[in-house]
Amino acid sequence: MTDLPLNRTIALSLFTVVLREGRPLEEQADLLTRPLDPRDRGFVRMLVATTLRRLGQIDMVLNHFLDKPMPAKLASVRDIMRLGAAQILFLDTPGHAVVDTSVELVKRGKLAPYAGLANAVLRKISRDGAAVSDRIDAARFNTPKWLWLDWSARYGEETAHRIGLAHLAEAPLDITLRDPATSADWAGPLAAEPLPCGSLRRLAGGAVYDLPGFTDGHWWVQDLAAALPVRLMGDLTGKAVADLCAAPGGKTLQLAAAGATVTAVDRSARRLRRVSENLARTGLTATLVDADATEWRPEALLDAVLLDAPCSATGTIRRHPDVARHKRPDDVAALAETQAALLAAAAEMVKPGGMLVYCTCSLQKAEGEDQIAAALAAGLPWERDPIRADELPGLEMALTAEGEVRTLPCHLEERGGMDGFFIARLRRI
Ligand SMILES: C[S@@+](CC[C@H](N)C(=O)[O-])C[C@H]1O[C@@H](n2cnc3c(N)ncnc32)[C@H](O)[C@@H]1O
């Protein structure tokens, strides 16, 4: 009997629980890979993430080599073949090793009689799969159809294509410094390069905990796009600011580091513990409130509110390829209702003359531009405070005609891209 490495059985469990039960990849990878050493943990995460990223293409290659469609009852065999194909086609694992371990995985499951099928198909993929795979438009066919249609209609087909291409690669590690003035001091030790608007980018990745300055709280991990909303809030020294929907707290840390008196509100006590840990590590302070932000109100009106509303997260598919497999159009519609309720609540918390910044990490217009247009059309005492090009040096392409920010995963694509975000800044009349 072939030896079956533990990392392959764990990869199958992880893939199954993420794809079939809809659980988040990062959370489950953290839990399920604990028995493995760091190298194998990295391998399992990479294998499952790659399979999710390339699922459309992998299924087209499998279908090419299958004589007839696989019935739904063979789902677990199909999943083993998908992971096998990902290793052969995208991770450069030697074909014979992949065939052996995949066949062994099938033999040890309830569908052992189908080991021959897995053997035959994966051998063919090992021999001729690359030629078939290379002919597929990867950007398009790894994008779920509803997203492809939505993005093509909204951004144009060429941009939808560039977004799809950006999703094929792992995202780099972006860093926000507690003290932005120390950027030049940290670039060298972190082997990172400066990005527009003050973030650093480390292309080599690596274990965050081992990098200089992390344990001492000099910086935190935050995508360049996610760092923009607070940077667009101007001088916050001494200002009373609420961070609504705050956990895990990247923006709370930025607000506190900028000198604001911060109240961070989130309805998840479990996720607020992460905010608390992050504050402790960085030596920053904020008041944490476990509450539903549609119901919570501050004791006195605030200078500013940041609302980073819960959303479909379709702007983060580079980092979270599971999002593309989990989200449906219905989710966007339901989340848009929540966003409208949160925006109406946030609007009641700010002083006349005060600021409201609304943002989502979604590429869907319904969760961004449409929310602000609807809120302003409803006659609330608010107006846009248009963001200016000089506030976004190096990222001017993300500025819209309305003075809002719309970043795309294909912006700065030559330097590794960025998350898709929508940001609007409003002023209370
Ligand atoms: C996009 S994440 C926020 C990310 C965070 N702002 C950061 O920068 O790290 C959305 C958060 O909204 C919280 N949330 C969702 N609905 C909420 C509500 N009605 N009231 C308060 N928090 C809510 C979730 O628990 C989740 O932590």
Side-chain angles (χ1 to χ4, degrees):
M1 193 179 264
T2 308
D3 199 24
L4 188 54
L6 183 60
N7 61 17
R8 299 307 201 277
T9 50
I10 290 181
L12 178 60
S13 306
L14 178 60
F15 184 67
T16 308
V17 88
V18 172
L19 188 70
R20 310 243 168 237
E21 293 173 27
R23 310 297 294 272
L25 171 63
E26 288 315 320
E27 170 202 282
Q28 292 299 311
D30 189 42
L31 281 175
L32 296 182
T33 63
R34 278 185 195 164
L36 301 173
D37 64 35
R39 211 171 136 257
D40 272 346
R41 291 186 84 164
F43 168 77
V44 167
R45 195 212 161 271
M46 170 68 87
L47 171 54
V48 173
T50 303
T51 313
L52 292 166
R53 232 178 258 294
R54 299 272 186 173
L55 198 60
Q57 196 174 4
I58 288 171
D59 279 348
M60 287 169 81
V61 173
L62 283 176
N63 292 344
H64 178 90
F65 290 108
L66 282 163
D67 294 334
K68 54 182 182 194
M70 283 176 87
K73 66 175 183 165
L74 297 189
S76 64
V77 179
R78 184 172 195 97
D79 288 349
I80 292 168
M81 287 160 57
R82 285 165 155 171
L83 289 164
Q87 290 169 81
I88 296 168
L89 297 172
F90 306 114
L91 298 179
D92 290 334
T93 317
H96 60 87
V98 175
V99 175
D100 287 353
T101 50
S102 305
V103 167
E104 198 56 38
L105 270 173
V106 180
K107 280 188 186 162
R108 294 191 191 188
K110 290 189 187 129
L111 295 165
Y114 292 91
L117 174 71
N119 185 29
V121 172
L122 287 172
R123 273 180 194 283
K124 286 183 198 164
I125 291 178
S126 174
R127 205 176 50 229
D128 303 320
V132 177
S133 174
D134 289 350
R135 286 199 298 272
I136 295 169
D137 179 349
R140 175 165 184 176
F141 290 104
N142 288 306
T143 304
K145 193 169 177 191
W146 72 277
L147 287 174
W148 177 263
L149 294 175
D150 184 283
W151 297 342
S152 297
R154 168 90 185 93
Y155 303 114
E157 197 161 324
E158 194 201 325
T159 302
H161 205 265
R162 284 170 54 211
I163 293 172
L165 272 184
H167 289 160
L168 297 179
E170 282 281 328
L173 182 73
D174 286 359
I175 288 168
T176 299
L177 294 161
R178 188 179 61 198
D179 178 359
T182 61
S183 172
D185 303 335
W186 285 103
L190 289 167
E193 59 173 50
L195 289 173
C197 302
S199 293
L200 291 178
R201 173 161 290 179
R202 196 180 135 85
L203 290 169
V208 169
Y209 308 96
D210 297 337
L211 295 175
F214 179 80
T215 314
D216 303 335
H218 288 287
W219 53 266
W220 52 91
V221 174
Q222 188 175 37
D223 188 85
L224 164 62
L228 294 177
V230 174
R231 290 185 178 141
L232 294 170
M233 291 177 80
D235 182 4
L236 292 170
T237 316
K239 298 245 171 91
V241 181
D243 180 8
L244 304 181
C245 307
K251 298 177 189 71
T252 309
L253 300 180
Q254 281 182 289
L255 292 167
T261 303
V262 188
T263 307
V265 183
D266 201 285
R267 68 169 180 197
S268 162
R270 182 179 60 84
R271 286 170 63 86
L272 273 175
R273 279 199 290 281
R274 296 268 308 280
V275 185
S276 188
E277 288 160 14
N278 283 325
L279 286 165
R281 182 173 60 79
T282 50
L284 295 165
T285 49
T287 304
L288 306 191
V289 179
D290 173 3
D292 185 325
T294 56
E295 287 160 14
W296 178 83
R297 292 293 179 277
E299 281 170 17
L301 291 181
L302 300 163
D303 296 308
V305 167
L306 171 64
L307 171 56
D308 184 15
C311 69
S312 62
T314 52
T316 68
I317 290 174
R318 291 176 321 144
R319 268 169 224 294
H320 305 293
D322 47 321
V323 165
R325 309 297 159 209
H326 291 159
K327 292 295 190 287
R328 302 278 175 268
D330 286 356
D331 297 318
V332 174
L335 284 157
E337 283 184 26
T338 306
Q339 290 149 8
L342 282 162
L343 193 49
E348 291 179 7
M349 299 179 193
V350 183
K351 289 177 184 165
M355 181 195 299
L356 170 56
V357 168
Y358 171 87
C359 62
T360 51
C361 57
S362 165
L363 292 172
Q364 312 315 117
K365 188 167 165 259
E367 300 182 275
E369 292 84 344
D370 289 356
Q371 289 293 338
I372 297 303
L376 294 178
L380 292 174
W382 287 89
E383 62 188 8
R384 277 194 193 89
D385 177 4
I387 296 158
R388 302 177 314 273
D390 64 282
E391 296 178 272
L392 289 169
L395 292 175
E396 295 84 355
M397 68 294 208
L399 199 58
T400 70
E402 286 74 30
E404 297 168 340
V405 172
R406 159 57 71 200
T407 65
L408 299 175
C410 55
H411 284 155
L412 293 192
E413 58 202 337
E414 66 292 348
R415 298 178 68 183
M418 59 198 292
D419 282 354
F421 251 81
F422 170 80
I423 309 165
R425 186 171 64 194
L426 308 179
R427 179 86 45 196
R428 182 155 189 183
I429 299 164

